[in-house]
Amino acid sequence: MYTLEYRYKRPNKRWSSWFIESQHDDRFEACKALGQHVSTYETFSVRVVRYNKMAEVVDTVAEYKFIQ
């Protein structure tokens, strides 16, 4: 299971925590969703990760950062 997450930069210049955008069974579907992600924030970061059964990130498959 691959999870697409996002976070944004707050007005105080600190990053928010990660929010779950969507979950996918296929790695390529998750990466495709990553490319289609549109944010309303000026600065944001999006990533596709895999979690283990202990809810810990085991692998970051893809990541995209947009900083303005």
Side-chain angles (χ1 to χ4, degrees), residues 27 46-50 57-63:
R27 176 182 186 161
V46 184
R47 70 180 183 177
V48 175
V49 295
R50 286 186 11 197
V57 174
V58 281
D59 188 23
T60 300
V61 178
E63 187 168 1

Side-chain angles (χ1 to χ4, degrees), residues 2-3 6 9 12-13 16-17 19 22 27-29 32 34-35 39 46 52 54 57 61 64 66-67:
Y2 295 89
T3 304
Y6 73 96
K9 196 166 259 192
N12 65 1
K13 306 294 185 203
S16 69
S17 59
F19 297 98
S22 59
R27 176 182 186 161
F28 297 106
E29 287 179 16
K32 183 179 176 184
L34 174 93
S39 177
V46 184
N52 63 11
M54 303 296 289
V57 174
V61 178
Y64 177 77
F66 178 79
I67 300 174

